[in-house]
Amino acid sequence: MKTEKKVPAKKAAPAKKTAAASAAVAKKPPSGESRTALVRRARRINRELAEVYPYAHPELDFENPFQLLVATVLSAQTTDLRVNQTTPALFAKYPTPEDLSAANPEEVEEILRPCGFFRAKTRSVIGLSQGLVERFGGEVPGRLEDLVKLPGVGRKTAFVVLGNAFGRPGITVDTHFQRLVRRWQWTEETDPDKIEAAVGALFPKSDWTDLSHHVIWHGRRICHARKPACGACPIAPLCPAYGEGETDPEKAKKLLKYEKGGFPGQRLKPPQAYLDAGGTAAPPLGAA
């Protein structure tokens, strides 16, 4: 019996699989990780992701705070790509809060139909535009407490605007961010506000906005919800969840999305740094 157990073990352990098995063990952070060790591991993950995604940026097209605010509200329950394909027509017809606040809802609904939940989103963008006109002279405020008073604007949306339009640090806790920080055991919290507080405590405030981009980009491109591409993950040695997804390097490569998989990104007008790094702009709505 002992001989029979040893033979398959030796046969089933060619160099490639043995290496993978050893790596899997090495990729488990020690149980009972101390607070200091957690902070170090979390910050190292962010540094590694910064090297993988040096061109990380908001994946919504915008030219000013108002456009970013509206686009972020529209991005709920849909992709940034779909929003980017839709907003050019919206902003061409309603370029300012004053214009959108006085818009015919039915006409706005028709433009926003591709984004899904277009009636509710129409109410939100018209309502927030009216709020901007009535309370802030048509200008997007640069304070969290003011932004969250606008219709359809929560903390996540506010931090996107503050971090990317005003340069004020904030953590954007979207579904990708929530999934990854729990996989990495940065926190066990499930409430977005508590996740924001727990993760924020691991990093200097100045890192928060870029951290959000790095984590969200990684969630969209490699660490997917259903089939994470573990075998193509640059931070696998630091991940407690290594092995939840495809670990074979070749199979994992086929799961990569956007520019990591050789496909277009989500922005029609991405930053030049993204294009210089090999990224490809998304096609406009209706393109073949």
Side-chain angles (χ1 to χ4, degrees), residues 49-59 210 213-214 217-218 221-222 257-263 265 267 270-280:
L49 293 181
E51 293 185 6
V52 177
Y53 310 108
Y55 43 80
H57 59 274
E59 294 194 89
D210 285 341
H213 291 323
H214 299 153
W217 273 55
H218 194 60
R221 286 152 177 76
I222 296 178
K257 296 182 179 180
Y258 303 113
E259 80 287 343
K260 289 299 177 184
F263 303 107
R267 292 187 67 163
Q272 190 60 45
Y274 171 76
L275 298 174
D276 291 342
T280 306

Side-chain angles (χ1 to χ4, degrees), residues 11 15 20 23 47 55 57 69 81 85 110 116 126 128 139 145 150 158 165 172 196 211 226 229 241 244 247 265 267:
K11 287 183 178 180
R47 290 196 300 272
Y55 43 80
H57 59 274
L69 177 59
L81 172 57
Q85 292 172 325
E110 194 57 33
I126 289 179
L128 73 83
E139 298 292 330
E145 54 267 38
L150 297 168
T172 304
E196 177 193 324
L211 168 70
R226 294 185 180 179
E244 285 187 10
T247 57
R267 292 187 67 163

Side-chain angles (χ1 to χ4, degrees), residues 3-287:
T3 302
E4 292 177 354
K5 289 183 179 179
K6 290 181 180 178
V7 171
K10 290 180 180 178
K11 287 183 178 180
K16 188 174 183 179
K17 289 192 175 181
T18 301
S22 300
V25 174
K27 287 166 183 171
K28 288 285 186 182
S31 59
E33 185 176 44
S34 69
R35 176 71 179 180
T36 299
L38 170 60
V39 170
R40 288 175 177 169
R41 181 168 63 87
R43 294 186 181 185
R44 184 179 171 189
I45 286 176
N46 188 40
R47 290 196 300 272
E48 295 283 347
L49 293 181
E51 293 185 6
V52 177
Y53 310 108
Y55 43 80
H57 59 274
E59 294 194 89
L60 291 167
D61 283 326
F62 70 98
E63 296 179 357
N64 54 57
F66 174 62
Q67 290 188 359
L68 179 58
L69 177 59
V70 171
T72 305
V73 170
L74 295 179
S75 69
Q77 305 297 317
T78 191
T79 64
D80 287 355
L81 172 57
R82 178 57 68 189
V83 174
N84 292 337
Q85 292 172 325
T86 305
T87 51
L90 179 71
F91 296 139
K93 191 167 186 177
Y94 310 106
T96 68
E98 289 81 2
D99 295 320
L100 191 51
S101 67
N104 181 327
E106 292 183 357
E107 294 179 1
V108 176
E109 286 178 2
E110 194 57 33
I111 295 174
L112 300 185
R113 188 179 294 271
C115 287
F117 302 96
F118 59 91
R119 292 189 179 89
K121 291 180 180 180
T122 293
R123 289 193 295 271
S124 291
V125 298
I126 289 179
L128 73 83
S129 296
Q130 292 171 341
L132 291 174
V133 173
E134 295 169 2
R135 302 180 193 175
F136 304 106
E139 298 292 330
V140 176
R143 300 195 312 166
L144 175 65
E145 54 267 38
D146 291 330
L147 284 168
V148 295
K149 293 177 182 177
L150 297 168
V153 180
R155 289 178 67 86
K156 183 187 80 170
T157 296
F159 281 132
V160 170
V161 174
L162 291 173
N164 299 289
F166 293 98
R168 297 179 182 174
I171 293 178
T172 304
V173 185
D174 73 348
T175 55
H176 299 288
F177 194 95
Q178 293 182 49
R179 179 176 73 254
L180 268 61
V181 299
R182 287 199 294 269
R183 277 182 177 167
W184 296 336
Q185 295 183 10
W186 288 3
T187 179
E188 294 181 353
E189 299 290 352
T190 56
D191 177 77
D193 290 351
K194 292 181 179 179
I195 291 174
E196 177 193 324
V199 174
L202 301 176
F203 295 88
K205 192 173 182 178
S206 58
D207 289 351
W208 288 356
T209 299
D210 285 341
L211 168 70
S212 299
H213 291 323
H214 299 153
V215 175
I216 292 169
W217 273 55
H218 194 60
R220 286 174 171 168
R221 286 152 177 76
I222 296 178
C223 195
H224 313 134
R226 294 185 180 179
K227 289 185 178 180
C230 294
C233 181
I235 59 166
L238 303 169
C239 181
Y242 175 82
E244 285 187 10
E246 180 57 65
T247 57
D248 180 87
E250 293 305 315
K251 292 181 180 178
K253 285 182 182 179
K254 297 179 181 179
L255 300 175
L256 301 182
K257 296 182 179 180
Y258 303 113
E259 80 287 343
K260 289 299 177 184
F263 303 107
Q266 299 207 74
R267 292 187 67 163
L268 280 73
K269 299 178 180 179
Q272 190 60 45
Y274 171 76
L275 298 174
D276 291 342
T280 306
L285 184 64

